[in-house]
């Protein structure tokens, strides 16, 4: 449970930056530099201000009453005057977030009220933009009816400003019902508010200006709902004072569930703002015995939040490494077609887990050999040599005598390898400059080691490269490390990534490209976050298959048509989807057996068991051009192909949505056929 | 029932062009110029030819057996040789449609068979393209499973040829079941084949090269299914001999349902080809008594089809007028911003129905006046004067004395009006050159006539124009013709129009534009083809509303912000959708009360009653950027807005799909907010 704010002594070194604000309750308070400064001195980073005041509200009500008495459906409001507003331009405005009038209801079924509400919204937003405000909190729809009408008004409002962000204020689950009796409330639909948001942002075309101010209530919904919002652009968390509860000394604290929610959401990037609301209201539930200990009440909430800020758990290794890369899209490497730069190798070499696993695997492979005989060990695609170092160490640990060979095509890395051999390896290594597929040694290799895997296992052409060098492997007991690898997929909701790709209007192939990306703001749609293995590759390949491919001109370059057919793959998987959502694309991972029981994994559900803290690979993402909405209890079929011509390798993918009625499945929709052929990996 | 082919004597003048072909049953027949000529002499317009022969099939089966015995998942076929094919290039090829091998199964769950099938498909299509064939009939998926796999292979095949059309052969309703007992077959799903087609063309992105060869079985499905295919690119109707039944003399004829289907489908543009199949097979059902009358059997089917061709019902007036305009998209007129050319007026004046209705309405309005008094009648926006002529005639018929005024802003039409006045109207007309909104006469008008309606009633700014001229109307009993008009909508499936708009890649607003279009290839999605009235306008407008608009700077030009708010409209309608389908957009129509009970309508369900054969307006179409798939028994919500700034008028629209579970509706998807603001109608 929550600890007492004053009890901590030393502060941790890396305190995250949290921007905490105060919602001004007084609808008529003039927001000037004095008030902003006073609130800053109290410890707040920002305050809110109502754009218009109650005087303006009264004027609008009079106009409405007059128009209603004339049975009119429209009436035109007079412009705002200086007496109607609380805000004005000035340097203090950077510490202010504007709030639109709470009585606005653009989606009202009353046409007169809706018409007037739209005028007020437009006037308020236009004035806020004039004042230079960067963020405006806009009241969300009042019910789950009339969402399209609300969205249409917001879409029009967005067009008034090209940079101001609109934060749509939304409940976390639903508008209806008694929160204390949610489980018995038949009308309660925990994804109702999310559904409304999804409709609003779909209608507004995933506008980057449209974000969320989420209300955090005393009773939190199912964790699946909390995860759902994690995938969305949360720009602000609204925490009213009644969401807090008093601790034994009467100080307001948050439940452990609320603390966990804060920890989760506050790791999103950009970090959401926290807005404390109703802090001036006496809390309903108090702990009467401890009133003598209570500090100045309105600030107690802020003090508690600051305490939380200072006591956040430390980041994991993967989080630290990935900092700044969250949801940032990269094109996969083309190491076969391009020569990598030293800095790229260096980044990969920083991963201790991966190379430790390789060392273990090499040692196991050596242990399986007879003692005494000289074992030929080759690293093909040696880069700057990290696997050479590990292989030499494994040989020492295993007590085996080895002939160590390093093969590298990149001429600059080759120079580096020669230097390493002199400085570190005592010239024990035979360094060869060659594309592995063209390498023709006068000996055979017993243990062939490579690190050619991409985020989706085979996407950087490991199968094709290893096919090309298998000639060199000793046919009697020669082994390859890795021995096998497989590609894994799951459908995900990732609106942030979708919006990013959709904004790349100048690139016609933006949705036909798999991206390497450290996925963060996502929601898994599959039941139990299921990830499916779609296909795998084993090495060495049976000789009859490889022999036929070679006879068709395969081997190095210029594979004839069909010569790479044994490396084609296809797969179809049905994922059960318990909760409605939007498929924005497929998250891809891999697993690999290096040797024996030594494995690598990037799957979130197996990485901790197989290769905890491994950082070398981010997941891969296969996007959908048109997001596919699927209802509760639906099924998503994912078809995926690994395709090849004689020149390159690429992927194709189709996603379909179904519902089951009795024994029949009915298709609800299907994506286009997506193909990365134009951006395929060149051999 | 069908009549006997030989009995007709005189042929109707306008025989439609039907292209009828013969499917060659022999899989090994070499298709050369002699055979094409012989079939042409027999009366066929084209023949089919298998691309490869049974020798090739046997070779493939041998390769498959060998690979299967080696437990392989892939095998590479040797290239086609001259001995494998039935086709070769030459002038005769223009009379040939190629057919791919029937044993191909690219979607087979057996990976080896699928892999080989894809190779065969690619080889056959590549060879057909080399031979210069324009159309290839490709066997459709063998079952309703594995549609995505089939579509992926077709998508790849499409990329091999940029102009050759692929005709996917499909059953009309379903693959399963005994056709004689369809109603009792629980697995039977009449939209199953359509659903497969919809998935294939969605995955293939509505490629213009992808069309349908539809099988016409002896037992036809529900009319709704027949209508569904009418909306699709039917390029060929495959009629096997067993679809015919013998008449009393033993000749093969088609049932009246089949005849109606032919009449319907053969009016599509481009006109589908008819392919007669299995004509060499002895029909199963015969009428034994009449065998002495039977002609050379294989040609009897062709003779019957030619008879049908010659006895097609004549085209309606609207069909004749619209010939060539089916599904052709036009931007709506901007008569207020642009001056029309004489030819445009002439097209409109060709409509006898519309002007007859106006004449009736004017006479009724005059009849309602006292005899003897001089009635001021003005045509505002007189164009070349057709309404002036009708008003003068109505006055004669009514026995009223009128002062006839014609107001026109187009300086060129004004000249024409002056000439008409001298030549035809005996100088009885006061011709005034003025924008009606600026016209300031020294008299008042008793009957003000205009023809400003667009396809969606108010979309050419009739409300704004008439607001601007209402000042001139006699406040004591002055009337306007039309007295009122309303806009009407329904959601439709129109893949042909969608594909056309989607191909306009250079126009970023292609999906934000309402189009005027003679809708033909469509399917109404709403239950009972329901069309909903969304809003209306009445003239004259109550003076207090118009007075306020004028006080805000309204009237002519430079309406201030809000000055046109009384002409804003919005509407939301829920349409029940009984059968699954794809919403591609909204079809819009109008109705107008000219005067009393004299009306105009373009609604398909009321035009015959209100203004039969009126041809002046095609419907309007509001597109959706992303087609919205809706399942059986769903609901479609259409929200529509008429928006206005001080400079222009435009529409916004949103379409949402829902299913109902108990008392709750669940959203399945929603469109973007579409807005024609950029292409709005200028005032």
């Amino acid at each position: 449970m929550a600890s007492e704010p004053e009890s901590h002594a030393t502060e941790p070194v890396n305190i995250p930056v949290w921007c905490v604000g105060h919602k001004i309750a007084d609808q008529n308070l003039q927001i000037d530099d004095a008030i902003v400064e006073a609130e800053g001195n109290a410890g707040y980073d920002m305050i809110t201000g109502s754009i218009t005041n109650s005087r303006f509200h009264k004027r609008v009500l009079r106009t409405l009453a007059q128009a209603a008495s004339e049975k009119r459906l429209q009436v035109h409001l007079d412009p705002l005057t200086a007496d109607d507003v609380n805000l004005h331009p000035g340097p203090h405005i950077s510490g202010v977030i504007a709030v639109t009038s709470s009585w606005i209801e653009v989606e009202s079924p009353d046409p007169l009220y809706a018409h007037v509400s739209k005028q007020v919204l437009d006037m308020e937003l236009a004035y806020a933009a004039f004042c230079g405000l960067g963020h405006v909190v806009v009241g969300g729809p009042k019910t789950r009816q009339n969402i399209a009408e609300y969205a249409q008004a917001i879409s029009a409002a967005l067009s008034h400003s090209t940079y101001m962000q609109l934060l749509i204020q939304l409940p976390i689950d639903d508008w209806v019902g008694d929160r204390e009796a949610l489980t018995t409330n038949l009308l309660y639909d925990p994804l109702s508010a999310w559904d409304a948001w999804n409709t609003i942002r779909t209608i507004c075309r995933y506008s980057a200006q449209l974000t969320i101010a989420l209300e955090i209530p005393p009773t939190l919904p199912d964790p699946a709902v909390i995860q759902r919002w994690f995938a969305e652009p949360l720009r602000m968390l609204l925490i009213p004072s009644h969401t807090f509860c008093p601790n034994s000394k009467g100080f307001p604290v948050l439940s452990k569930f609320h603390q966990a929610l804060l920890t989760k959401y506050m790791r999103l990037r950009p970090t959401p703002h926290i807005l404390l609301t109703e802090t001036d209201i006496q809390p309903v539930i108090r702990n009467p015995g401890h009133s003598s200990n209570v500090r100045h009440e309105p600030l107690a909430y802020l003090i508690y939040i600051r305490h939380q800020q200072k006591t956040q758990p430390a980041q994991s290794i993967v989080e630290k490494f990935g900092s700044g890369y969250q949801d940032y899209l990269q094109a996969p490497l083309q190491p076969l077609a391009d020569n990598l730069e030293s800095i790229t190798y260096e980044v990969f070499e920083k991963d201790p887990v991966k190379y430790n696993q390789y060392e273990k695997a090499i040692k196991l492979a050596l242990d399986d050999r007879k003692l005494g005989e000289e074992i030929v060990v080759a690293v093909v695609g040696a880069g700057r040599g990290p696997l050479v170092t590990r292989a030499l160490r494994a040989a020492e640990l295993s007590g085996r005598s080895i002939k160590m060979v390093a093969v590298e095509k990149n001429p600059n890395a080759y120079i580096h390898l020669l230097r390493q051999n002199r400085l570190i390896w005592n010239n024990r290594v035979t360094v060869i400059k060659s594309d592995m597929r063209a390498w023709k040694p006068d000996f055979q290799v017993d243990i062939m080691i490579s690190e050619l895997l991409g985020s989706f296992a085979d996407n950087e052409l490991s199968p094709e490269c290893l096919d090309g060098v298998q000639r060199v492997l000793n046919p009697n007991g020669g082994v390859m490390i890795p021995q096998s690898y497989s590609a894994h997929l799951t459908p995900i909701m990732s609106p942030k990534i979708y919006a990013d790709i959709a904004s790349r209007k100048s690139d016609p192939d933006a949705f036909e490209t798999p991206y390497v990306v450290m996925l963060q703001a996502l929601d898994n749609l599959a039941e139990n976050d299921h990830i499916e293995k779609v296909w795998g590759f084993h090495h060495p390949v049976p000789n009859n298959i490889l022999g036929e491919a070679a006879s068709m001109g395969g081997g190095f370059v210029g594979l004839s048509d069909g010569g790479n057919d044994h490396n084609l793959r296809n797969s179809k998987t049905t994922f059960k989807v318990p909760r409605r959502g939007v498929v924005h694309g497929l998250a891809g991972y891999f697993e690999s057996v290096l040797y024996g029981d030594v494995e690598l994994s990037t799957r979130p559900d197996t990485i901790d068991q197989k290769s905890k803290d491994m950082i070398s690979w981010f997941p891969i993402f296969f996007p959908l051009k048109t997001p596919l909405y699927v209802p509760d209890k639906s099924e998503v079929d994912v078809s995926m192909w690994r395709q090849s011509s004689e020149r390159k390798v690429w992927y194709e993918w189709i996603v379909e949505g179904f519902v089951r009625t009795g024994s029949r499945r009915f298709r609800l929709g299907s994506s286009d056929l997506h193909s990365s052929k134009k951006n395929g990996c060149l051999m």
Side-chain angles (χ1 to χ4, degrees), chain A residues 52-220:
Chain A
T52 60
N53 56 28
S54 57
R55 182 181 180 282
F56 174 66
H57 188 195
K58 282 177 198 143
R59 166 151 76 83
V60 172
L61 291 175
R62 281 195 303 275
T63 309
L64 274 166
Q66 172 73 17
S69 74
E70 295 170 13
K71 297 201 189 310
R72 297 159 59 128
L73 300 179
Q74 287 95 19
V75 70
H76 193 70
L77 292 178
D78 289 332
L80 289 176
T81 69
D83 293 336
D84 293 326
V85 297
N86 294 330
L87 302 177
H88 57 89
H92 67 289
I93 221 76
S94 65
V96 179
I97 289 191
V99 178
T100 58
S101 290
S102 58
W103 46 269
I104 291 176
E105 192 174 346
V106 290
E107 77 281 18
S108 171
D110 173 352
L112 179 62
Y113 201 88
H115 182 239
V116 165
S117 289
K118 285 180 194 180
Q119 289 180 59
V120 174
L121 183 65
D122 282 355
M123 289 161 96
E124 292 194 342
L125 292 180
Y127 184 67
F130 169 78
C131 290
L133 284 150
H135 301 84
V136 184
V137 178
V138 180
K142 295 278 192 280
T143 69
R144 57 187 172 196
Q145 316 300 325
N146 306 323
I147 303 295
E149 289 78 356
Y150 178 87
Q152 188 262 352
I154 295 296
S155 178
L158 281 171
S159 68
H160 296 327
S161 164
T162 51
Y163 80 98
M164 198 166 66
Q165 288 218 335
L166 304 193
L167 286 63
I168 307 298
Q169 183 174 340
L170 291 163
I172 200 167
D173 47 6
D174 202 347
W175 289 266
V176 299
D178 176 3
R179 286 188 185 281
E180 302 302 312
L182 289 182
T183 50
T184 58
N185 185 337
L186 286 179
L187 282 174
Y188 173 68
D189 171 11
L191 284 175
S192 188
W194 172 81
D195 222 358
W197 160 253
N198 184 50
T199 304
I200 295 164
R201 67 93 175 283
T202 301
I203 287 173
C204 294
R205 305 187 176 194
Y206 287 75
S207 166
Q209 289 171 255
L210 203 62
T211 59
I212 298 163
L214 194 68
E215 298 166 7
I216 310 298
T219 305
L220 292 179

Side-chain angles (χ1 to χ4, degrees), chain A residues 123 219 253 269 382 402 424 518 614 622:
Chain A
M123 289 161 96
T219 305
V253 296
R269 294 291 173 272
I402 65 169
I424 298 173
M518 186 188 170
M614 184 172 70
F622 296 92

Side-chain angles (χ1 to χ4, degrees), chain A residues 310-323:
Chain A
K310 289 171 191 161
T311 55
Q312 285 296 301
Q315 288 185 311
S316 73
I317 289 175
V318 174
E319 276 175 324
K320 265 185 212 156
F321 178 77
S323 173

Side-chain angles (χ1 to χ4, degrees), chain A residues 234-274:
Chain A
L234 296 183
R235 198 76 200 80
M236 181 180 277
L237 308 177
L238 288 160
I239 313 183
S241 57
H242 65 266
T243 288
F244 291 78
C245 52
N247 69 1
S248 59
K249 297 183 184 173
F251 286 103
V253 296
L254 290 172
S255 78
K256 62 180 177 181
F257 300 109
H258 286 84
Q259 291 178 45
L261 177 144
L262 269 193
T263 296
K264 184 177 183 70
Y265 286 170
M266 294 305 279
R267 297 204 167 187
L268 282 168
R269 294 291 173 272
T271 314
H273 296 175
I274 293 174

Side-chain angles (χ1 to χ4, degrees), chain A residues 3-12 303 306-307 310-311:
Chain A
S3 60
E4 209 256 57
E6 297 306 280
S7 64
H8 64 86
T10 55
E11 293 184 354
I303 291 165
R306 291 299 186 201
H307 169 67
K310 289 171 191 161
T311 55

